[in-house]
């Protein structure tokens, strides 16, 4: 363990560069998945007709409560149904899931196909925590 501290103190510049590179890599990966968006920013985009909700939760969760006019494509079926989103190519797709666990992967898939993507920070849980409205089927 002492050798590690000696190395870190002697090679502080190399260690610093490594930390910066790791940070830059993580930041770029985060952007590839679609930038996070707050509930208020998302509402502005939706109300200005510049965005569409894409809910990637399964059908049961979607029916228990979702955003008005949200498109539901379960994450497990996204890769095979991605072509059905072509009609929204000129809009930003705001990816919504339960708590953010699948939004990044969905955003990466959509971004690779050329869509403009944002991820709702905190997912539907954050939406509900702020007492924002949901449609139930």
């Amino acid at each position: 363990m002492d050798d590690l501290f000696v190395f870190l103190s002697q090679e502080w510049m190399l260690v610093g560069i490594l930390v910066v590179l790791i940070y830059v890599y993580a930041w770029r990966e985060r952007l590839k998945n679609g930038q996070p968006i707050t509930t208020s920013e998302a509402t502005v985009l939706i109300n200005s007709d510049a965005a569409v909700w894409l809910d990637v939760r399964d059908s049961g969760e979607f029916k228990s409560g979702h955003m008005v006019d949200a498109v539901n494509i379960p994450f497990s079926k996204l890769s095979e149904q991605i072509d059905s989103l072509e009609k929204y190519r000129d809009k930003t797709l705001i990816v919504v899931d339960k708590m953010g666990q699948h939004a990044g992967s969905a955003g990466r898939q959509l971004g690779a196909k050329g869509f403009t993507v944002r991820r709702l920070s905190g997912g539907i849980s954050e939406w509900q925590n702020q007492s924002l409205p949901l449609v139930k089927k």
Side-chain angles (χ1 to χ4, degrees):
M1 191 65 155
D2 289 332
D3 291 339
L4 176 65
F5 292 120
V6 170
F7 174 78
L8 292 176
S9 66
Q10 290 177 349
E11 303 297 336
W12 61 270
M13 189 175 290
L14 289 176
V15 173
I17 290 171
L18 177 63
V19 168
V20 168
L21 289 174
I22 290 171
Y23 176 78
V24 168
Y25 175 77
W27 178 72
R28 284 186 42 83
E29 284 300 307
R30 185 175 180 208
L31 292 180
K32 281 185 189 176
N33 301 343
Q35 277 188 305
I37 188 171
T38 65
T39 55
S40 58
E41 292 171 321
T43 303
V44 169
L45 280 177
I46 293 292
N47 288 342
S48 66
D49 201 33
V52 173
W53 297 114
L54 174 60
D55 196 319
V56 295
R57 297 176 298 150
D58 67 31
S59 300
E61 289 178 322
F62 181 78
K63 289 177 183 172
S64 70
H66 59 86
M67 281 82 161
V68 174
D69 297 328
V71 175
N72 179 232
I73 300 177
F75 177 71
S76 61
K77 297 179 181 177
L78 182 61
S79 58
E80 56 197 56
Q81 295 182 14
I82 206 163
D83 292 335
S84 67
L85 297 170
E86 279 301 320
K87 58 188 167 194
Y88 305 115
R89 184 160 294 279
D90 62 329
K91 297 186 180 197
T92 299
L93 295 176
I94 302 174
V95 180
V96 179
D97 62 1
K98 189 171 185 174
M99 293 172 42
Q101 69 274 28
H102 294 301
S105 297
R108 187 176 303 119
Q109 286 181 42
L110 293 163
K113 294 286 186 174
F115 288 96
T116 304
V117 182
R118 302 289 300 268
R119 295 178 291 121
L120 183 64
S121 296
I124 196 84
S125 297
E126 180 61 25
W127 187 266
Q128 289 173 312
N129 287 343
Q130 294 186 21
S131 301
L132 294 167
L134 292 174
V135 175
K136 296 183 180 185
K137 286 187 178 178

